[in-house]
Amino acid sequence: MSERSGWAVGYSMFAAIMLMMIGVFHFMAGLVGIIDDEFYVVTGNWVFEFDATTWGWIHLIGGVLVVLAGFSVVKGHMYGRIIGTIVAAISAIVNFAWLPYQPWWSILMIVLSVSVIWALTVHGRDIATPAE
């Protein structure tokens, strides 16, 4: 087995921590949408026109899943990397659909999600537990 790169392990930890932060961000956006459905202002007509409360539940549930995936990646589980990659991809897609509500925030979340996907797919193995 080759020696693990400190850079790769660090970037994998970055991905795990970012997953947890993205999850918390989704959770908070979800709470706002559920508590005050008039907080978000919609501009223009878009393909995905959901009520803010519906988006709130989507973000709330998705946020919890993303945080759990982040904890699994920190522990070095392979299934954590797989789930982390999937939920980061879903996060990017959801944020694309969320663009009319919060455009700059959505773009930031898409960029973070894509960087997490890259880190988990390229360097995820470097943080793996020795049993794998």
Side-chain angles (χ1 to χ4, degrees):
M1 184 169 149
S2 63
E3 190 172 323
R4 297 189 310 179
S5 163
W7 170 253
V9 171
Y11 203 67
S12 297
M13 286 302 290
F14 165 80
I17 292 168
M18 288 310 302
L19 266 174
M20 290 184 268
M21 287 178 57
I22 290 169
V24 170
F25 294 155
H26 276 292
F27 187 85
M28 290 187 313
L31 280 179
V32 170
I34 292 168
I35 293 169
D36 183 10
D37 65 351
E38 294 180 8
F39 179 80
Y40 297 115
V41 178
V42 181
T43 57
N45 294 324
W46 293 83
V47 175
F48 301 105
E49 290 187 33
F50 294 126
D51 179 68
T53 304
T54 304
W55 275 118
W57 282 108
I58 290 169
H59 281 283
L60 188 82
I61 294 167
V64 170
L65 294 175
V66 173
V67 168
L68 293 174
F71 279 117
S72 182
V73 171
V74 168
K75 291 184 145 228
H77 298 141
M78 185 167 110
Y79 66 84
R81 294 190 314 266
I82 294 168
I83 293 171
T85 302
I86 292 168
V87 295
I90 292 170
S91 172
I93 293 166
V94 166
N95 277 292
F96 179 77
W98 183 247
L99 276 169
Y101 299 88
Q102 292 288 316
W104 292 107
W105 184 254
S106 295
I107 291 168
L108 174 66
M109 294 291 281
I110 291 168
V111 168
L112 290 175
S113 296
V114 169
S115 69
V116 165
I117 293 167
W118 181 82
L120 291 178
T121 55
V122 174
H123 298 294
R125 185 178 309 255
D126 293 317
I127 199 171
T129 55
E132 291 184 0

